[in-house]
Amino acid sequence: ILARLNQLVETSDKYLSEFNSYKVVEGMEEFINDLSTWYLRRSRKRRDDGFYETMYNVLINFNQLLAIFSPHLAESIYQNLECNNAIESVHLCNWPSLTKVSEGKPNDHQLLDQMQQDLLEFSKNPTKKHETLKRISKEGLESLLEMRMLLEIQ
């Protein structure tokens, strides 16, 4: 989900510099769908510190993006999160920065590109569906996007 958050921040920067707010909101909608449909569903049984830390990071950064388009809602969400920092308003926060995925793993672009390639490979050869889904479930949370895309094809 952090790779998707990084992708959202990157594309938001790009589209906002082109004054294309529609594409930013569209990307935010897709991100929320990925977060709620896949990350939370797959992490339903997780209650460790890593899960909560990741969710907090995602919510804070997404909320900073949301503040441009829906300032009152973003402020309300920010105030209801137990913020560890001394910044009193989401509107005083810096623009979200790209977070690093754990060292030793492929960078965000490589991870998302690999998911896209797997999707294309799957669409060309649907007989590998069972093998692909089995592999996805073993790889864990890094394949959430791929699983979402595969299920949308069905």
Side-chain angles (χ1 to χ4, degrees), residues 1-2 13 15 21 25 42 79 82 104 126 130 139 149:
I1 197 69
L2 293 176
D13 284 343
Y15 289 129
S21 60
V25 173
R42 298 258 328 216
Q79 293 301 321
E82 291 186 22
H130 181 70
E139 288 180 4
M149 291 176 196

Side-chain angles (χ1 to χ4, degrees), residues 106-122 132 135-136 139 142-143 145-147 149:
N107 69 29
D108 296 345
H109 294 293
Q110 290 173 336
L111 179 64
L112 295 170
D113 288 345
Q114 180 62 43
M115 290 178 186
Q116 188 68 26
Q117 286 175 353
D118 288 347
L119 174 65
L120 291 172
E121 188 177 303
F122 172 75
T132 305
R135 182 179 54 80
I136 290 170
E139 288 180 4
E142 291 180 355
S143 296
L145 288 174
E146 183 179 0
M147 183 175 278
M149 291 176 196

